[in-house]
Amino acid sequence: MFIEITSLLIISTIAFILTFILVPITKKIGTKFGIVDSLNERKVKKIKLVRIGGLAIFLGYFLSILGFVFSQYILRFLIIDYRELLFLVGFSLFFFLIGIFDDILSLSPLKRLLFSFVLAYFAWNFGINLNNIDISFLNLGLKNIIFPNYLSLILTLIWLVGVTNAINWIDGLDGLASGCTGIMSSTFGIIAIHNNAYEYALISFALAGSSFAFLNSNFKPAKILMGDGGAYFIGFTLAFLSLIVSKNNQDILDFRVPLLTLFYPLLDMLRVIIIRLMKKNPLIYPDSNHLHHILIKNNFSETSTVLILYGITISSSCLLLFSIF
């Protein structure tokens, strides 16, 4: 256990340092090639910033994990299955590419959605799925629900793509998505340690380290934005972690874990979708009905709004940890 915990602390620290170093480099690249955020009436921010900060987050995360796998192979200390780890990192890479191409080339929402569903299908084939859910905590007289294969596929695709976009949707204020990501991924890491799933803990704490490092340059006043590259990468990584970290050794998913850890982005997404359906607006096009917009409209400052939403995320995560431990 000591070796495992020490390794996780080291990987999180390395991810933090690498991302911290890479942020100004990424900013220079974005400035040189004019990859900056567009302005419109929906956005709170009124100045243009480099929008490829996700590159620094992903590289800090990826290089720290790659370095760990290489060290494990050279030094021959086996605490993780590096093949599964690299498969999972690979899926995150492809989602990052969808986002970064959108940052650079401005892909249509429909194309991004299509690519996301295709990749989510491959993830389902790999074993990242919703197929057996423990709902005993609801006290409905049912212990768990087992889904047939076709329904497992449908629900998994909706979950993976939905959570990915939910993270993208909350990336509307300085430091909001990056700070919440650090909190949520740390929570998944703690759950993974509790379940002795060190591959998933490694991913969780590497993501936490990169996210907190990026927050240093992304909190108000932000110097750089994560863009869709960062949001898609983070969103999908949290989406698959929410499924695989939640499962016990019998492959039964404790639904409290994803529900409470991702409570804020899920609540925001559900609320926005209901409003769009009621107004008969397209589901995939942006509006100003997110929780952070509502708080701003009610005269909360941007910083206060972010701190309130941090508080909601921390509270739901603590509720989860208290209920498990």
Side-chain angles (χ1 to χ4, degrees), residues 169-185:
W169 287 3
I170 69 169
D171 185 28
L173 293 179
D174 292 349
L176 180 54
S178 51
C180 286
T181 296
I183 297 164
M184 293 184 289
S185 55

Side-chain angles (χ1 to χ4, degrees), residues 69 80-89 199 202-203:
V69 171
I80 61 167
D81 180 352
Y82 69 88
R83 290 165 296 185
E84 181 179 10
L85 183 70
L86 292 179
F87 265 113
L88 294 171
V89 172
E199 293 87 357
L202 190 75
I203 289 173

Side-chain angles (χ1 to χ4, degrees), residues 105-121:
L105 303 174
S106 296
L107 301 176
S108 71
L110 195 58
K111 285 182 179 178
R112 298 200 307 268
L113 199 62
L114 177 61
F115 289 141
S116 297
F117 273 115
V118 170
L119 287 172
Y121 170 74

Side-chain angles (χ1 to χ4, degrees), residues 287-300:
D287 56 32
S288 300
N289 290 311
H290 295 281
L291 289 174
H292 59 268
H293 289 129
I294 302 304
L295 289 171
I296 293 290
K297 289 174 184 176
N298 282 277
N299 298 319
F300 286 92

